[in-house]
Amino acid sequence: MKKLMSSFLIGSMAVLLAACGGSDSTQGNGSASNEGGEATEQVDSKTIRAGIGLNSEHPQYKGLEKFKELVEERTEGAIVVETYHSGQLGDDRSMMEALQLGTQEVTVPSTAPIANFVSEFSVFDFPFLFPSSEVADQVLDGEVGQGFLDRLEDQSLVGLAYWENGFRNLTNSKQAVATAEDFKGLTIRTMENDLHLEAFRALGANPTPMAFTELFTAMQQGTVDGQENPYATIYLEGYSEVQKHVSNTNHIYSPFVFMMSKTFFDSLTEEEQEIVSEAALEAGAYQRELNREANETYLANLQEEGMTYTEISEEERQKMIEAVQPIIDKYAENIGTDVVEEVYSAIEAAQ
């Protein structure tokens, strides 16, 4: 009987020890054996959950993959990056709020939703602000752009780099838009941004704020006539299935801002902070190049898929600029004329 009980206890202890210490996981404190049988010390890895609203084919997501590659290689796996696309972690605003709470580490929103947290960012949503992407690069990557990133810290966010969404262009299912007058009566989905809403009203459209994840269905059901986004988004989200017309309005150049939770950033060592900061910049340069190549290709693809392309003349674009100028003047006062003048001066210098 004693021998039987002893065998039972020995077997139970073996099972318990296997459950507690038999894993070969590479995470967690303690030691594990390498192939040569030597004990190697293992440390906990830090995890970055990086989420965006666009899908896995978009250059923005390719940029996240590049960021992941750089960070994991340079930290030798001490920081692991998990990437999420298609709004899997929420929309831009909810992901920014998650960064503030420390429940998510990275997101890369457009400047429009950021303005709900830092009002000065509204200046980047002024219609017809940047004449070209090259000028935008010089301004955003310079002192003025850095000044805006620094403003995020008061919101428990750390701005690390500007990526590119690109010039936004109009699509709709009703009519070709070649003039300022052609906007009249169109129900256009916009981001949840007051400046965007007022600008489209000034052009005669009926703007409707709506979450990006709801947009395709809304166009499919006729709830809205159209929307405005860069060509890459228009093509990769399959909008040619529910939209007939596309015009190169180029009404807003939309940057992405690569941001990190301040709680998480502050938890990193100085070396790790330097690595993630440099990786955000390098991945951003890579993403911008991909995005510009993609936008050229995707416009051609949209036409091949049956969309009618309308070129806006410089004369008509000037009329659009004049129509929205009162909105720009109004928001310049709200933001602060000194901030707005600083941006316009930087643009003039960059040209």
Side-chain angles (χ1 to χ4, degrees):
M1 183 67 178
K2 288 181 180 179
K3 183 182 291 186
L4 181 61
M5 181 62 70
S6 175
S7 298
F8 174 78
L9 289 172
I10 291 171
S12 299
M13 288 174 67
V15 171
L16 182 60
L17 287 170
C20 293
S23 171
D24 62 354
S25 170
T26 58
Q27 295 186 18
N29 292 322
S31 62
S33 295
N34 59 21
E35 291 182 356
E38 297 178 8
T40 57
E41 192 70 19
Q42 300 294 331
V43 296
D44 286 331
S45 60
K46 299 172 183 177
T47 301
I48 292 175
R49 286 156 295 182
I52 60 170
L54 295 170
N55 68 31
S56 61
E57 296 302 312
H58 195 281
Q60 185 190 34
Y61 187 71
K62 304 298 183 186
L64 274 189
E65 291 182 317
K66 174 60 73 173
F67 174 76
K68 171 184 172 70
E69 174 190 324
L70 294 172
V71 169
E72 292 183 350
E73 177 184 332
R74 292 172 184 178
T75 64
E76 298 181 340
I79 299 178
V80 174
V81 181
E82 298 176 356
T83 58
Y84 298 87
H85 55 80
S86 306
Q88 292 171 308
L89 300 183
D91 59 20
D92 285 340
R93 180 162 187 156
S94 62
M95 286 191 283
M96 288 181 67
E97 290 170 347
L99 262 61
Q100 290 178 310
L101 294 170
T103 56
Q104 183 178 328
E105 290 69 42
V106 163
T107 190
V108 195
S110 294
T111 51
I114 298 174
N116 294 309
F117 298 79
V118 180
S119 62
E120 289 90 343
F121 271 88
S122 290
V123 70
F124 295 127
D125 290 287
F126 277 12
F128 309 104
L129 177 68
F130 289 113
S132 70
S133 55
E134 291 75 21
V135 169
D137 287 350
Q138 290 191 54
V139 174
L140 295 171
D141 295 342
E143 290 184 14
V144 170
Q146 184 60 50
F148 279 84
L149 295 182
D150 292 343
R151 289 177 168 90
L152 292 168
E153 289 212 26
D154 289 340
Q155 296 295 318
S156 299
L157 303 166
V158 178
L160 296 179
Y162 290 97
W163 291 16
E164 180 178 87
N165 194 359
F167 282 101
R168 305 179 77 87
N169 295 288
L170 182 73
T171 72
N172 78 96
S173 59
K174 298 293 185 182
Q175 63 195 37
V177 173
T179 70
E181 288 75 23
D182 292 334
F183 280 88
K184 292 180 180 176
L186 290 176
T187 301
I188 304 298
R189 176 268 176 183
T190 71
M191 288 184 282
E192 298 176 37
N193 179 283
D194 289 341
L195 196 161
H196 284 216
L197 292 169
E198 292 193 40
F200 274 99
R201 289 193 192 104
L203 289 165
N206 300 317
T208 300
M210 182 181 297
F212 181 75
T213 51
E214 300 171 6
L215 176 54
F216 186 94
T217 301
M219 291 189 293
Q220 189 176 46
Q221 295 177 346
T223 305
V224 296
D225 299 323
Q227 60 83 54
E228 43 85 49
N229 262 301
Y231 295 133
T233 303
I234 295 167
Y235 177 73
L236 292 171
E237 295 295 327
Y239 292 166
S240 61
E241 297 176 28
V242 291
Q243 297 280 271
K244 174 65 176 173
H245 302 279
V246 57
S247 301
N248 72 325
T249 49
N250 282 1
H251 52 278
I252 290 173
Y253 175 85
S254 183
F256 285 131
V257 176
F258 187 103
M259 61 177 64
M260 181 171 282
S261 164
K262 190 173 187 304
T263 300
F264 180 78
F265 187 80
D266 289 347
S267 75
L268 301 176
T269 66
E270 286 188 20
E271 182 182 4
E272 289 170 339
Q273 288 178 351
E274 184 176 345
I275 287 172
V276 297
S277 298
E278 290 180 355
L281 287 168
E282 288 182 37
Y286 170 79
Q287 186 271 339
R288 281 174 174 172
E289 183 178 352
L290 281 184
N291 198 62
R292 289 166 194 177
E293 293 173 356
N295 275 305
E296 291 182 13
T297 301
Y298 292 149
L299 174 58
N301 291 348
L302 290 170
Q303 294 174 80
E304 289 174 5
E305 293 183 356
M307 292 192 78
T308 301
Y309 173 67
T310 302
E311 186 87 22
I312 306 293
S313 70
E314 285 307 311
E315 181 182 356
E316 287 301 326
R317 184 170 281 107
Q318 186 58 42
K319 290 180 181 178
M320 295 175 190
I321 293 172
E322 291 170 2
V324 300
Q325 190 59 50
I327 308 304
I328 293 174
D329 294 341
K330 171 185 173 181
Y331 276 85
E333 291 184 11
N334 294 343
I335 295 169
T337 54
D338 55 337
V339 173
V340 174
E341 286 174 4
E342 181 183 38
V343 173
Y344 274 103
S345 294
I347 290 170
E348 185 177 349
Q351 295 181 78

